[in-house]
Amino acid sequence: MPITPATATPSSSNGTAEAILLELVDENGVTIGTEEKLTAHQPPGLLHRAFSVFLFDEQGRLLLQQRAPGKYHSPGVWSNTCCGHPYPGESPFAAAARRTYEELGVSPSLLAAAGTVRYNHPDPVSGLVEQEYNHLFVGMVQSALRPDPEEVGATAFVTPAELAERHAENPFSAWFMTVLDAARPAVRELTGNSAGW
């Protein structure tokens, strides 16, 4: 599958912009249709499939990314390692691995499912709504990052204490604490008790 930035509008064979489609789901995560990406995020938001990735280094520090300033949704805010939407019919696991590589230039190690969480988070700046059935994944990063500057403004590895300090002083995505809290049991299993997550 070709690399496609989250905000891209790839051209079809006749030269017109091709819509990026998301998978709409019911409250149980069962696919019920598709909708164009931006339309699905208009208030009140349509429930759609998403994923969130949390990668850690060998010291148990979480890799955060600051979303690039040109992103259409939540630009310039800090968030988890990677998040996005599977293509219709694409498994959340495959989408998580694909987008992590596209955004950060690394393939996660030991990537494992960490449950799901359903939420409704409006973005106060853009007015868009994240109405998502989110598949969570945890794993390790064991190679040098090569972030795509169109997707990622900055990265940082943080301990729990450093995250708390950064979270108090910087804007974070509206969904960040929801997905982190939902992933914590799997995070603790991956990083061990000494990491403090």
Side-chain angles (χ1 to χ4, degrees):
M1 189 164 288
I3 293 175
T4 307
T7 56
T9 50
S11 295
S12 64
S13 58
N14 65 7
T16 60
E18 195 175 297
I20 296 175
L21 297 178
L22 305 185
E23 219 171 61
L24 301 181
V25 299
D26 66 15
E27 293 292 337
N28 297 311
V30 176
T31 302
I32 58 172
T34 60
E35 184 54 82
E36 190 277 325
K37 184 176 182 177
L38 194 55
T39 302
H41 287 87
Q42 297 296 324
L46 299 173
L47 184 59
H48 58 274
R49 193 175 311 284
F51 64 84
S52 289
V53 177
F54 297 86
L55 296 184
F56 296 82
D57 66 8
E58 300 287 349
Q59 290 77 47
R61 297 179 303 168
L62 171 61
L63 173 58
L64 298 177
Q65 76 154 269
Q66 184 181 36
R67 294 166 63 84
K71 301 273 275 189
Y72 81 103
H73 191 331
S74 303
V77 303
W78 288 89
S79 198
N80 49 293
T81 307
C82 180
C83 53
H85 309 94
Y87 293 123
E90 181 183 27
S91 77
F93 183 92
R98 172 181 58 80
R99 283 302 292 165
T100 301
Y101 185 80
E102 290 173 1
E103 291 186 8
L104 295 160
V106 294
S107 295
S109 305
L110 305 173
L111 190 65
T116 58
V117 63
R118 191 257 194 259
Y119 53 78
N120 177 0
H121 287 301
D123 174 31
V125 177
S126 69
L128 300 175
V129 177
E130 287 292 7
Q131 184 90 248
E132 293 187 329
Y133 188 92
N134 197 309
H135 298 258
L136 309 172
F137 297 93
V138 299
M140 304 288 292
V141 59
Q142 297 176 306
S143 54
L145 303 177
R146 297 185 322 276
D148 177 349
E150 292 195 12
E151 298 287 345
V152 180
T155 59
F157 283 95
V158 297
T159 65
E162 290 166 342
L163 173 60
E165 183 178 315
R166 185 179 290 264
H167 193 260
E169 297 173 355
N170 297 276
F172 270 69
S173 64
W175 62 88
F176 175 74
M177 287 309 299
T178 300
V179 292
L180 176 58
D181 287 345
R184 278 187 200 273
V187 168
R188 290 186 191 112
E189 187 175 330
L190 177 72
T191 61
N193 291 334
S194 61
W197 294 103

